[in-house]
Amino acid sequence: NFWRGAALRRLKRHEEALVALDVAHGLGLARPELQFERAVALLKLGKPAEALVELDLTLRLYPLDFEAYVWRGEAKRALGMHHAALKDLNEPALSSPDRATPIWLWALFNRALVKAALGDRAGLEADFNAIPAHVREHLRRKTGQEDMVELLKAGLELSRGFRREEYKQAIWMS
């Protein structure tokens, strides 16, 4: 049921994903990935406060999961907790040894949106321009938008939650 829930989440069938993940939990599965998958599904269902509880648990169980920090930063951004979101997003955005990793990329997307919400135009532009040019151009072609904030929001939506493995980037960029 865990893998079924994870697959359903990636298909944007978030309510069904939660049901499958709850069954896995009920069967005694206790691992950070379960809380993580639940959190992302909850966030995509517009329940950032509930997602934040799950992400806090994920990070207590596995404090080195940079992707969980990015998602927690996204949940905090959705809740208007901008300074707390920056704290979560700065770690993966600044410490990634390979700046081409997907986790680094999504930290930049979210951090740029936080900076926009805080009125930090220079920070927004710096993070936006740090996103690889081919990704920015893809978003412009896909959406017809030029506004940085709209492009960042569209990128988060188009990613469909495929944020960990670099090879999956081709899925949403197709």
Side-chain angles (χ1 to χ4, degrees):
N1 282 310
F2 169 76
W3 291 111
R4 183 174 191 279
L8 288 166
R9 181 183 69 77
R10 285 161 179 81
L11 293 170
K12 290 189 173 185
R13 293 167 53 187
H14 305 296
E15 290 176 6
E16 292 174 78
L18 277 177
V19 171
L21 294 167
D22 286 345
V23 169
H25 181 70
L27 293 172
L29 182 65
R31 52 194 261 194
E33 295 92 339
L34 177 62
Q35 268 55 60
F36 174 80
E37 290 292 337
R38 281 187 44 73
V40 176
L42 288 164
L43 188 57
K44 291 296 185 176
L45 286 170
K47 300 177 180 182
E50 292 177 50
L52 188 55
V53 171
E54 297 288 339
L55 288 162
D56 286 342
L57 179 57
T58 299
L59 288 165
R60 275 195 297 279
L61 295 170
Y62 189 59
L64 299 177
D65 187 341
F66 279 154
E67 187 179 16
Y69 281 104
V70 173
W71 283 103
R72 189 169 76 172
E74 188 167 335
K76 289 177 179 178
R77 179 178 61 78
L79 290 167
M81 302 167 60
H82 301 301
H83 293 288
L86 277 179
K87 185 177 177 187
D88 281 343
L89 296 167
N90 280 338
E91 186 66 26
L94 298 175
S95 65
S96 177
D98 177 6
R99 292 221 186 270
T101 63
I103 294 169
W104 171 77
L105 177 66
W106 301 114
L108 282 179
F109 269 71
N110 275 289
R111 196 173 72 173
L113 287 169
V114 169
K115 289 177 178 179
L118 292 171
D120 179 1
R121 179 77 181 177
L124 163 64
E125 289 177 1
D127 280 353
F128 183 80
N129 290 326
I131 294 168
H134 74 280
V135 173
R136 295 190 316 261
E137 288 308 311
H138 171 75
L139 292 172
R140 285 185 178 106
R141 281 191 309 274
K142 193 89 168 171
T143 66
Q145 291 280 334
E146 285 297 323
D147 179 73
M148 286 184 285
V149 170
E150 293 305 315
L151 287 167
L152 292 163
K153 289 178 181 177
L156 291 174
E157 183 60 30
L158 289 169
S159 76
R160 299 178 68 153
F162 291 117
R163 298 187 184 177
R164 187 175 295 256
E165 295 89 359
E166 189 169 341
Y167 70 91
K168 290 181 181 172
Q169 193 172 35
I171 294 170
W172 72 268
M173 288 192 67
S174 59

Short mmCIF file of all heavy atoms in Angstrom, two decimals, residues 45-69:
data_model
loop_
_atom_site.label_atom_id
_atom_site.label_comp_id
_atom_site.label_asym_id
_atom_site.label_seq_id
_atom_site.Cartn_x
_atom_site.Cartn_y
_atom_site.Cartn_z
N LEU A 45 -3.35 18.75 -1.43
CA LEU A 45 -4.79 18.86 -1.19
C LEU A 45 -5.15 20.18 -0.52
O LEU A 45 -6.29 20.40 -0.15
CB LEU A 45 -5.27 17.69 -0.33
CG LEU A 45 -5.35 16.35 -1.05
CD1 LEU A 45 -5.59 15.23 -0.06
CD2 LEU A 45 -6.46 16.38 -2.11
N GLY A 46 -4.16 21.07 -0.37
CA GLY A 46 -4.43 22.37 0.24
C GLY A 46 -4.52 22.34 1.75
O GLY A 46 -5.21 23.17 2.34
N LYS A 47 -3.82 21.39 2.37
CA LYS A 47 -3.83 21.25 3.83
C LYS A 47 -2.41 21.42 4.37
O LYS A 47 -1.82 20.48 4.92
CB LYS A 47 -4.39 19.89 4.21
CG LYS A 47 -5.81 19.67 3.73
CD LYS A 47 -6.31 18.29 4.08
CE LYS A 47 -7.75 18.12 3.59
NZ LYS A 47 -8.28 16.80 3.95
N PRO A 48 -1.84 22.63 4.23
CA PRO A 48 -0.45 22.82 4.63
C PRO A 48 -0.19 22.64 6.11
O PRO A 48 0.89 22.18 6.50
CB PRO A 48 -0.12 24.24 4.16
CG PRO A 48 -1.44 24.92 4.05
CD PRO A 48 -2.42 23.86 3.67
N ALA A 49 -1.15 22.95 6.97
CA ALA A 49 -0.93 22.78 8.41
C ALA A 49 -0.78 21.30 8.76
O ALA A 49 0.09 20.92 9.55
CB ALA A 49 -2.07 23.41 9.21
N GLU A 50 -1.63 20.46 8.16
CA GLU A 50 -1.52 19.01 8.39
C GLU A 50 -0.23 18.47 7.78
O GLU A 50 0.42 17.60 8.36
CB GLU A 50 -2.73 18.29 7.80
CG GLU A 50 -4.02 18.59 8.53
CD GLU A 50 -5.22 17.91 7.88
OE1 GLU A 50 -5.14 16.69 7.61
OE2 GLU A 50 -6.21 18.62 7.62
N ALA A 51 0.14 18.99 6.61
CA ALA A 51 1.38 18.57 5.97
C ALA A 51 2.58 18.92 6.85
O ALA A 51 3.52 18.13 6.98
CB ALA A 51 1.52 19.23 4.60
N LEU A 52 2.53 20.08 7.47
CA LEU A 52 3.62 20.52 8.32
C LEU A 52 3.84 19.56 9.50
O LEU A 52 4.98 19.24 9.84
CB LEU A 52 3.35 21.94 8.82
CG LEU A 52 4.46 22.64 9.58
CD1 LEU A 52 5.75 22.68 8.78
CD2 LEU A 52 4.01 24.05 9.95
N VAL A 53 2.77 19.06 10.08
CA VAL A 53 2.88 18.09 11.18
C VAL A 53 3.62 16.84 10.69
O VAL A 53 4.53 16.33 11.36
CB VAL A 53 1.48 17.72 11.73
CG1 VAL A 53 1.56 16.55 12.70
CG2 VAL A 53 0.84 18.94 12.40
N GLU A 54 3.24 16.34 9.52
CA GLU A 54 3.88 15.14 8.96
C GLU A 54 5.35 15.40 8.61
O GLU A 54 6.20 14.54 8.83
CB GLU A 54 3.12 14.67 7.71
CG GLU A 54 1.71 14.24 7.96
CD GLU A 54 1.58 12.92 8.71
OE1 GLU A 54 2.52 12.11 8.72
OE2 GLU A 54 0.49 12.69 9.29
N LEU A 55 5.63 16.57 8.07
CA LEU A 55 7.02 16.89 7.71
C LEU A 55 7.89 17.07 8.95
O LEU A 55 9.06 16.68 8.94
CB LEU A 55 7.06 18.13 6.82
CG LEU A 55 6.53 17.86 5.41
CD1 LEU A 55 6.16 19.16 4.71
CD2 LEU A 55 7.54 17.06 4.58
N ASP A 56 7.33 17.64 10.00
CA ASP A 56 8.09 17.74 11.26
C ASP A 56 8.45 16.34 11.76
O ASP A 56 9.58 16.11 12.20
CB ASP A 56 7.29 18.50 12.32
CG ASP A 56 7.24 20.00 12.07
OD1 ASP A 56 8.07 20.51 11.29
OD2 ASP A 56 6.36 20.65 12.67
N LEU A 57 7.50 15.41 11.67
CA LEU A 57 7.76 14.04 12.09
C LEU A 57 8.81 13.39 11.19
O LEU A 57 9.74 12.73 11.67
CB LEU A 57 6.47 13.22 12.09
CG LEU A 57 6.60 11.75 12.48
CD1 LEU A 57 7.22 11.59 13.86
CD2 LEU A 57 5.24 11.07 12.44
N THR A 58 8.69 13.59 9.89
CA THR A 58 9.68 13.06 8.95
C THR A 58 11.08 13.52 9.33
O THR A 58 12.02 12.72 9.38
CB THR A 58 9.37 13.52 7.51
OG1 THR A 58 8.10 13.02 7.14
CG2 THR A 58 10.42 13.04 6.53
N LEU A 59 11.22 14.81 9.62
CA LEU A 59 12.54 15.36 9.91
C LEU A 59 13.05 14.96 11.29
O LEU A 59 14.25 14.91 11.51
CB LEU A 59 12.54 16.87 9.71
CG LEU A 59 12.48 17.25 8.23
CD1 LEU A 59 12.11 18.71 8.06
CD2 LEU A 59 13.79 16.93 7.54
N ARG A 60 12.15 14.65 12.21
CA ARG A 60 12.59 14.09 13.50
C ARG A 60 13.17 12.69 13.29
O ARG A 60 14.14 12.31 13.92
CB ARG A 60 11.45 14.05 14.51
CG ARG A 60 11.26 15.35 15.27
CD ARG A 60 10.40 15.19 16.50
NE ARG A 60 9.04 14.77 16.22
CZ ARG A 60 8.05 15.57 15.84
NH1 ARG A 60 8.27 16.86 15.67
NH2 ARG A 60 6.84 15.10 15.61
N LEU A 61 12.54 11.93 12.39
CA LEU A 61 13.00 10.57 12.12
C LEU A 61 14.24 10.54 11.24
O LEU A 61 15.08 9.66 11.34
CB LEU A 61 11.88 9.77 11.45
CG LEU A 61 10.63 9.52 12.29
CD1 LEU A 61 9.52 8.94 11.43
CD2 LEU A 61 10.94 8.60 13.46
N TYR A 62 14.34 11.49 10.33
CA TYR A 62 15.44 11.52 9.37
C TYR A 62 15.85 12.97 9.12
O TYR A 62 15.44 13.60 8.15
CB TYR A 62 15.02 10.83 8.07
CG TYR A 62 16.16 10.61 7.11
CD1 TYR A 62 17.28 9.87 7.46
CD2 TYR A 62 16.12 11.16 5.83
CE1 TYR A 62 18.32 9.68 6.57
CE2 TYR A 62 17.15 10.97 4.94
CZ TYR A 62 18.25 10.23 5.32
OH TYR A 62 19.28 10.05 4.44
N PRO A 63 16.66 13.54 10.02
CA PRO A 63 16.98 14.97 9.96
C PRO A 63 17.88 15.39 8.81
O PRO A 63 18.10 16.58 8.63
CB PRO A 63 17.66 15.23 11.31
CG PRO A 63 18.17 13.91 11.76
CD PRO A 63 17.24 12.88 11.19
N LEU A 64 18.35 14.47 8.00
CA LEU A 64 19.22 14.83 6.88
C LEU A 64 18.50 14.79 5.54
O LEU A 64 19.14 14.85 4.50
CB LEU A 64 20.43 13.90 6.85
CG LEU A 64 21.31 13.94 8.10
CD1 LEU A 64 22.43 12.93 7.98
CD2 LEU A 64 21.85 15.33 8.33
N ASP A 65 17.18 14.69 5.54
CA ASP A 65 16.41 14.61 4.31
C ASP A 65 16.17 16.01 3.77
O ASP A 65 15.21 16.69 4.14
CB ASP A 65 15.08 13.88 4.56
CG ASP A 65 14.31 13.61 3.29
OD1 ASP A 65 14.58 14.27 2.26
OD2 ASP A 65 13.43 12.74 3.32
N PHE A 66 17.04 16.45 2.85
CA PHE A 66 16.93 17.80 2.30
C PHE A 66 15.60 18.00 1.57
O PHE A 66 15.04 19.09 1.57
CB PHE A 66 18.08 18.11 1.36
CG PHE A 66 19.35 18.53 2.05
CD1 PHE A 66 20.57 18.34 1.45
CD2 PHE A 66 19.33 19.11 3.31
CE1 PHE A 66 21.74 18.73 2.07
CE2 PHE A 66 20.49 19.51 3.95
CZ PHE A 66 21.70 19.31 3.32
N GLU A 67 15.10 16.96 0.92
CA GLU A 67 13.84 17.12 0.22
C GLU A 67 12.70 17.43 1.19
O GLU A 67 11.83 18.24 0.89
CB GLU A 67 13.50 15.87 -0.60
CG GLU A 67 12.27 16.10 -1.46
CD GLU A 67 11.89 14.92 -2.31
OE1 GLU A 67 12.37 13.81 -2.05
OE2 GLU A 67 11.11 15.12 -3.24
N ALA A 68 12.74 16.81 2.36
CA ALA A 68 11.70 17.09 3.36
C ALA A 68 11.80 18.54 3.82
O ALA A 68 10.78 19.18 4.09
CB ALA A 68 11.81 16.13 4.55
N TYR A 69 13.01 19.09 3.91
CA TYR A 69 13.16 20.50 4.26
C TYR A 69 12.53 21.39 3.20
O TYR A 69 11.90 22.40 3.51
CB TYR A 69 14.64 20.88 4.44
CG TYR A 69 15.22 20.46 5.76
CD1 TYR A 69 16.05 19.36 5.85
CD2 TYR A 69 14.91 21.15 6.93
CE1 TYR A 69 16.59 18.96 7.05
CE2 TYR A 69 15.44 20.77 8.15
CZ TYR A 69 16.27 19.67 8.20
OH TYR A 69 16.80 19.27 9.40
#
